[in-house]
Amino acid sequence: MLNIRRFVKGADEPLWVEVLNAARKEREDWRAITEEELIADAKRPSFDFEGRFIGELDGKAVGVVHAKVDKMSEDKKGFVHFDVVPEFRGCEIETALIETALGALKARGMTIAQTWVDSNERERIELLKGLHFRHVRLFSVMEMELAGVSQKIGENTQVAIRPLRKELEGDIQLFNWLSNENYKEDLDYCPITLEETHHFLFCDPYLKEKEILFAVLNGESLGCVGVGVDEKYNLEKKVQAGEVFTIGVLKAHRRKGIGARLMLHGLERLRAKGMTKAILGVEDDNPTQAIRLYEKLGFKVKRREVILEREV
């Protein structure tokens, strides 16, 4: 018998972790998470508990879904994240989870639901299309060998690079402001609060080792890059990979080699940490056409994710 029930905070965390790790264990980009990490992540100021549901088959938890609403966004768009343990895929559990999430989003006033799927998961994509989701765009995960970083790609050598100093509130505020300015053209942009930035810098359970670097020209900070290392991911996957988790330049100063300067410095910081690979993610139709810069540096597409939407 199939039962979809709401997540109970303070009781269901072990079940949620168990299902997520079992459902995603075959994914190359996933490493096992712990209950402590799940709880720490849920302390983000913008985290939405209300839309979590667990799917049980004959009393056994076999699937989870999160109908997420971004409390800071004015858009009536919600997000559906669902996972089912492999041996229970292809039956009614996936459809039931998605339909439950859609109902939860509708009850909260959302008019659009969005989700994303690895482009190789054809059955999952067909399931979503059968539920009236449509393909809207692509997201690429890119990777490169740090030994092969291309130099002299038009970087602005007049730009100075300085690190964010976590002990200075002014630097944290600057990072928060730049992050909002750099990404406000993105289709799914939502304002990042200062509280959210504080949590990311000091309490993020995954990228514990990270650096933020500012690009400075004539005394003005014009952009930033963030790089980090998930040590648990590297141990589990037996790799030495670092992540470029943010990169952006103020609109008025783009196409001047500042982004290239930031990227080269960020990649050098990863190499100094002993990393041999760098990974980043980018939407294929990013308004800044950032993918061209990444290709110049030597990044290549490793895999793609399909972003799908439907009306609620």
Side-chain angles (χ1 to χ4, degrees):
M1 181 178 177
L2 175 61
N3 177 47
I4 308 293
R5 64 172 180 83
R6 285 191 178 275
F7 176 91
V8 179
K9 186 178 178 180
D12 282 332
E13 285 81 2
L15 276 179
W16 193 276
V17 167
E18 180 184 345
V19 172
L20 271 188
N21 285 333
R24 300 185 183 184
K25 63 182 178 181
E26 73 271 22
R27 285 176 45 171
E28 191 175 353
D29 63 323
W30 179 259
R31 59 90 165 162
I33 65 169
T34 65
E35 184 180 342
E36 291 73 23
E37 288 171 331
L38 183 76
I39 292 171
D41 186 51
K43 291 180 180 178
R44 285 185 289 114
S46 65
F47 191 84
D48 176 34
F49 269 106
E50 189 172 336
R52 279 181 164 187
F53 297 88
I54 294 177
E56 297 175 330
L57 199 58
D58 297 328
K60 177 180 174 59
V62 297
V64 296
V65 67
H66 192 177
K68 178 184 173 184
V69 172
D70 198 320
K71 295 180 286 187
M72 295 302 298
S73 177
E74 295 180 358
D75 291 341
K76 297 298 183 181
K77 180 186 289 185
F79 303 88
V80 178
H81 308 280
F82 69 99
D83 290 278
V84 174
V85 177
E87 55 265 38
F88 294 97
R89 292 174 189 160
C91 57
E92 72 273 16
I93 180 73
E94 293 162 303
T95 299
L97 287 169
I98 296 167
E99 289 179 341
T100 299
L102 293 173
L105 292 178
K106 184 176 182 179
R108 299 177 71 183
M110 300 297 104
T111 58
I112 297 291
Q114 185 181 99
T115 190
W116 49 92
V117 184
D118 191 291
S119 62
N120 292 322
E121 295 181 292
R122 301 310 309 174
E123 291 183 1
R124 196 173 171 105
I125 292 172
E126 291 306 313
L127 168 68
L128 288 162
K129 286 183 176 180
L131 293 171
H132 309 295
F133 280 85
R134 66 188 186 282
H135 176 185
V136 291
R137 56 189 189 275
L138 286 171
F139 181 90
S140 291
V141 175
M142 307 182 77
E143 184 180 273
M144 70 167 295
E145 298 289 336
L146 286 171
V149 176
S150 297
Q151 303 289 336
K152 306 300 180 184
I153 58 169
E155 65 273 23
N156 189 328
T157 57
Q158 301 303 308
V159 172
I161 303 292
R162 76 165 182 88
L164 177 148
R165 294 158 292 185
K166 290 184 179 180
E167 69 275 14
L168 296 183
E169 180 63 20
D171 273 12
I172 297 172
Q173 292 175 358
L174 175 60
F175 174 51
N176 177 256
W177 179 77
L178 284 170
S179 296
N180 281 304
E181 287 297 309
N182 291 337
Y183 290 105
K184 65 182 181 181
E185 297 170 81
D186 288 6
L187 290 173
D188 290 324
Y189 165 74
C190 178
I192 305 166
T193 66
L194 186 58
E195 291 75 18
E196 194 81 12
T197 297
H198 269 276
H199 185 276
F200 174 70
L201 290 175
F202 295 100
C203 305
D204 177 68
Y206 306 116
L207 284 179
K208 292 184 178 179
E209 185 180 343
K210 51 182 170 284
E211 293 184 49
I212 313 293
L213 305 163
F214 296 121
V216 183
L217 188 62
N218 299 323
E220 184 180 0
S221 296
L222 305 178
C224 61
V225 66
V227 296
V229 176
D230 183 341
E231 295 178 348
K232 288 187 177 180
Y233 173 87
N234 285 346
L235 283 171
E236 185 174 307
K237 303 298 182 180
K238 296 180 174 58
V239 296
Q240 289 297 311
E243 179 182 345
V244 181
F245 58 81
T246 187
I247 168 70
V249 175
L250 295 176
K251 188 174 182 180
H253 299 278
R254 293 170 188 164
R255 310 287 186 268
K256 298 178 182 178
I258 299 172
R261 176 87 165 102
L262 281 166
M263 283 296 297
L264 285 170
H265 202 89
L267 295 175
E268 184 55 40
R269 292 304 306 144
L270 288 178
R271 189 156 54 181
K273 296 176 186 294
M275 300 301 105
T276 59
K277 293 182 179 182
I279 301 170
L280 57 78
V282 59
E283 287 201 11
D284 286 22
D285 55 356
N286 180 292
T288 67
Q289 299 181 329
I291 198 167
R292 295 182 182 178
L293 169 61
Y294 306 149
E295 289 171 343
K296 281 184 180 180
L297 285 161
F299 281 91
K300 296 181 180 179
V301 174
K302 185 177 183 181
R303 62 182 181 83
R304 281 195 165 94
E305 292 182 357
V306 180
I307 301 173
L308 304 102
E309 288 184 0
R310 62 157 282 177
E311 293 182 358
V312 175

